[in-house]
Amino acid sequence: MIRAVTDREFDQVIERAGMPVLVEFWQPGCGGCRALLNEFDLLQAETNGRLLILTMNVQENFQIPAERDVSSLPALALYRNGQFDRFIGGLGKKDEILKQLAL
């Protein structure tokens, strides 16, 4: 199951992950966001414990999205070694996301 994360726990979860972390910034009512969540289930199964996938609802959490200048949704942010690496493309399908991650 994909874990939701809040502003309050975000930094701690990212720092302690011990693996790359992919975060989807989303909001209720966003059709593209919901479609991406379905792809995450497939992605999680394929990465087999090599990637932590988190979601953050931007309507309930403001700090982290503001710090990362999240301006359109859904947005995917990649973190490596506890630090922000980059936003990635390939927002449609699992295979495109995997290409961007290069795990």
Side-chain angles (χ1 to χ4, degrees):
M1 182 168 180
I2 307 302
R3 178 180 172 193
V5 67
T6 65
D7 280 335
R8 187 175 193 178
E9 64 187 343
F10 187 85
D11 289 333
Q12 184 178 8
V13 171
I14 296 293
E15 290 168 6
R16 292 184 178 176
M19 66 185 73
V21 180
L22 183 64
V23 181
E24 177 193 12
F25 295 98
W26 71 284
Q27 71 180 2
C30 169
C33 300
R34 283 191 309 248
L36 193 53
L37 284 174
N38 294 332
E39 292 297 313
F40 278 175
D41 290 331
L42 301 171
L43 184 63
Q44 188 170 48
E46 189 159 328
T47 57
N48 198 25
R50 296 178 291 145
L51 176 71
L52 176 62
I53 301 172
L54 303 172
T55 63
M56 178 175 275
N57 181 336
V58 300
Q59 287 184 342
E60 296 173 354
N61 301 280
F62 310 104
Q63 179 183 346
I64 300 300
E67 289 174 2
R68 293 288 167 251
D69 294 323
V70 173
S71 59
S72 64
L73 299 174
L76 291 179
L78 179 63
Y79 292 79
R80 293 186 189 270
N81 301 315
Q83 300 294 318
F84 176 75
D85 184 33
R86 62 191 163 92
F87 286 105
I88 66 166
L91 293 178
K93 297 292 179 183
K94 168 192 62 91
D95 291 337
E96 291 299 317
I97 296 168
L98 278 171
K99 285 180 192 175
Q100 292 286 324
L101 295 175
L103 293 177

